[in-house]
């Protein structure tokens, strides 16, 4: 049996589906009872669990658990805090760091050898470049301002504690370093410093769906290394099967896609008809604040044989649109 903590999240739902497809027995946890009936209708045991409540872990099984995937946590995208007016640093550490310790202690006490969790690609923000693929050996260099700063620190601390449990208690824990993850779910809109806004990708898709111009701001050749949620879910499964899995792993596509390519692919795939296809227009004078970045995927390939199936952006977005058109997870997420 595998336990997936945070199965009411976007990545969590896809990960549960992947493990079930692979024939695994899973127990899932969340804090939103809307998901209870969804999972119970699929014969999946659902437990309500809050990471910061140690007593909630008493409800989890003590035997027969092969590993835990930890996807619950506090992210800037769901934090309704304007840092110019308030501060939620303690919340990030209580949930993301102390919560991770609670998971690790549950595993240590019950002889569960592996937890796989996630961390942020922004931990090496000062090294981002399209000129070389950053490896897991890249020295940390995050920012000390902005709504992601404390989040990154809390996740770095959580990953450090997981490595402590590896070395001190003989576990084989791992962290997946994630960039933006694309796929059907609840992330079309998100909080940025307390303000709820559409994501850039969602704006592109919405414009394409009605034939309006898609505007690319700044340098159209800026390149981002994004990843598809189904690749992430499959990587969790593969990582759980390998004895070599341990430590930090980049979890991206391993290839960059420019802003121009993103706009052109979305304009093509999401057009209502060929004669209503959106124009892509450029405003280089309005700067884009996120630089290019690229990550190496060699370590995950070496340790657990992971090769992204959806690394090509057009392949990724074609599958994404297929799921949207099919109404996948529509009962769970608004998109």
């Amino acid at each position: 049996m595998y336990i997936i903590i945070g199965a009411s999240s976007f990545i969590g739902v896809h990960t549960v589906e992947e493990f079930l497809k692979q024939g695994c027995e899973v127990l899932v946890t969340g804090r939103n009872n809307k998901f209870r009936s969804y999972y119970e209708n699929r014969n999946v045991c659902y437990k309500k669990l809050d990471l910061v409540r140690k007593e909630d872990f008493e409800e989890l099984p003590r035997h027969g658990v092969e590993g835990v995937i930890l996807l619950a946590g506090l992210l800037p995208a769901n934090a309704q805090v304007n840092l110019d007016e308030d501060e939620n640093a303690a919340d990030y550490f209580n949930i993301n760091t102390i919560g991770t310790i609670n998971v690790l202690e549950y595993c240590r006490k019950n002889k569960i050898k592996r937890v796989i969790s996630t961390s942020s690609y922004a931990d090496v923000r000062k090294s981002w470049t399209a000129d070389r693929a950053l490896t897991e050996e890249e020295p940390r260099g995050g920012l000390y301002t902005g709504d992601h700063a404390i989040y990154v620190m809390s996740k770095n601390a959580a990953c450090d504690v997981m490595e402590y449990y590896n070395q001190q208690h003989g576990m084989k824990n791992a962290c997946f370093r994630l960039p933006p993850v694309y796929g059907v779910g609840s992330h079309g809109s998100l909080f940025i410093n307390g303000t709820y806004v559409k994501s850039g990708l969602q704006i592109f898709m919405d414009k394409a769906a009605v034939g309006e111009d898609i505007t690319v701001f700044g340098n159209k050749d800026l390149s981002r290394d994004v990843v598809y949620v189904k690749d992430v879910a499959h990587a969790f499964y593969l990582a759980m099967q390998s004895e070599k899995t341990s430590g930090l792993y980049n979890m991206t596509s391993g290839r960059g896609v420019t802003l121009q390519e993103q706009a052109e692919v979305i304009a093509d795939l999401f057009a209502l008809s060929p004669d209503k296809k959106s124009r892509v227009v450029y405003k280089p004078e309005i700067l884009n604040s996120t630089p290019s970045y690229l990550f190496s995927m060699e370590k995950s390939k070496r340790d657990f044989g992971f090769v992204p199936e959806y690394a090509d952006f057009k392949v990724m977005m074609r599958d994404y649109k297929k799921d949207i058109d099919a109404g996948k997870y529509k009962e769970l997420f608004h998109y």
Side-chain angles (χ1 to χ4, degrees):
M1 174 194 294
Y2 296 96
I3 297 177
I4 299 176
I5 296 175
S8 54
S9 67
F10 153 58
I11 298 176
V13 169
H14 286 271
T15 301
V16 174
E17 180 179 315
E18 171 67 18
F19 274 68
L20 294 176
K21 185 175 75 174
Q22 297 292 345
C24 300
E25 180 185 1
V26 294
L27 180 149
V28 307
T29 81
R31 295 197 301 161
N32 188 337
N33 273 328
K34 177 177 70 172
F35 288 78
R36 182 182 296 278
S37 59
Y38 170 80
Y39 283 119
E40 290 180 348
N41 288 338
R42 288 154 181 78
N43 297 314
V44 174
C45 181
Y46 180 92
K47 298 278 189 181
K48 193 168 184 178
L49 182 139
D50 188 324
L51 285 179
V52 302
R53 288 171 49 88
K54 291 182 180 180
E55 57 268 34
D56 285 6
F57 289 87
E58 298 299 320
E59 302 299 317
L60 299 182
R62 300 188 177 279
H63 305 285
V65 179
E66 297 177 65
V68 174
I69 294 174
L70 172 55
L71 296 169
L74 177 61
L75 286 77
N78 55 33
Q80 302 179 37
V81 174
N82 183 331
L83 293 179
D84 296 328
E85 302 169 358
D86 206 349
E87 180 55 69
N88 62 343
D91 294 335
Y92 280 111
F93 278 89
N94 284 335
I95 296 169
N96 295 341
T97 309
I98 302 302
T100 296
I101 293 172
N102 290 338
V103 173
L104 291 166
E105 274 298 281
Y106 159 73
C107 290
R108 182 186 66 81
K109 291 174 182 177
N110 294 290
K111 297 181 171 54
I112 301 165
K113 287 296 185 180
R114 175 169 289 154
V115 177
I116 303 179
S117 187
T118 62
S119 65
S120 172
Y121 71 136
D123 67 334
V124 288
R125 173 66 169 73
K126 293 179 181 177
S127 297
W128 285 359
T129 178
D131 296 333
R132 63 184 177 93
L134 304 180
T135 71
E136 291 81 358
E137 302 303 317
E138 187 72 23
R140 283 179 181 163
L143 302 181
Y144 286 92
T145 59
D147 66 345
H148 275 66
I150 288 292
Y151 166 69
V152 172
M153 294 177 204
S154 71
K155 295 299 284 187
N156 284 348
C159 290
D160 288 346
V161 173
M162 291 174 72
E163 184 58 30
Y164 164 78
Y165 272 73
N166 286 350
Q167 298 192 30
Q168 180 68 23
H169 299 296
M171 296 181 72
K172 290 193 171 183
N173 301 313
C175 283
F176 284 3
R177 176 195 273 154
L178 295 174
V181 180
Y182 289 178
V184 166
S186 61
H187 60 295
S189 296
L190 66 163
F191 285 97
I192 297 179
N193 197 29
T195 300
Y196 198 57
V197 298
K198 282 187 181 181
S199 68
L201 181 72
Q202 190 65 50
I203 292 172
F204 279 13
M205 293 191 297
D206 288 349
K207 296 285 188 182
V210 295
E212 294 183 4
D213 289 352
I214 295 174
T215 304
V216 174
F217 297 107
N219 179 5
K220 64 183 175 59
D221 296 318
L222 280 177
S223 178
R224 279 80 183 271
D225 184 356
V226 298
V227 68
Y228 195 44
V229 67
K230 292 181 183 179
D231 277 334
V232 175
H234 188 55
F236 279 126
Y237 170 75
L238 292 176
M240 276 295 183
Q241 312 312 307
S242 174
E243 284 299 312
K244 295 181 180 179
T245 301
S246 183
L248 177 66
Y249 292 92
N250 294 331
M251 191 47 57
T252 70
S253 292
R255 61 188 292 182
V257 55
T258 66
L259 295 180
Q260 179 178 5
E261 183 182 356
Q262 288 195 46
E264 290 176 347
V265 166
I266 290 170
D268 182 47
L269 291 179
F270 286 77
L272 281 175
S273 61
D275 61 322
K276 292 186 178 180
K277 183 176 172 180
S278 297
R279 290 189 314 141
V280 179
V281 298
Y282 302 96
K283 292 190 175 181
E285 69 277 10
I286 302 177
L287 297 182
N288 192 308
S289 60
T290 305
S292 299
Y293 52 85
L294 180 66
F295 290 87
S296 168
M297 291 299 296
E298 289 304 310
K299 185 182 177 186
S300 60
K301 181 179 180 180
R302 182 192 72 217
D303 284 3
F304 48 88
F306 175 66
V307 178
E309 181 180 352
Y310 300 93
D312 182 280
F313 188 72
K314 191 163 189 174
V315 173
M316 180 191 301
M317 294 309 298
R318 186 180 291 121
D319 192 78
Y320 192 163
K321 186 174 189 301
K322 181 188 72 176
D323 283 351
I324 290 174
D325 291 344
K328 189 169 186 177
Y329 303 138
K330 195 74 173 180
E331 73 272 38
L332 299 177
F333 302 117
H334 298 292
Y335 61 84

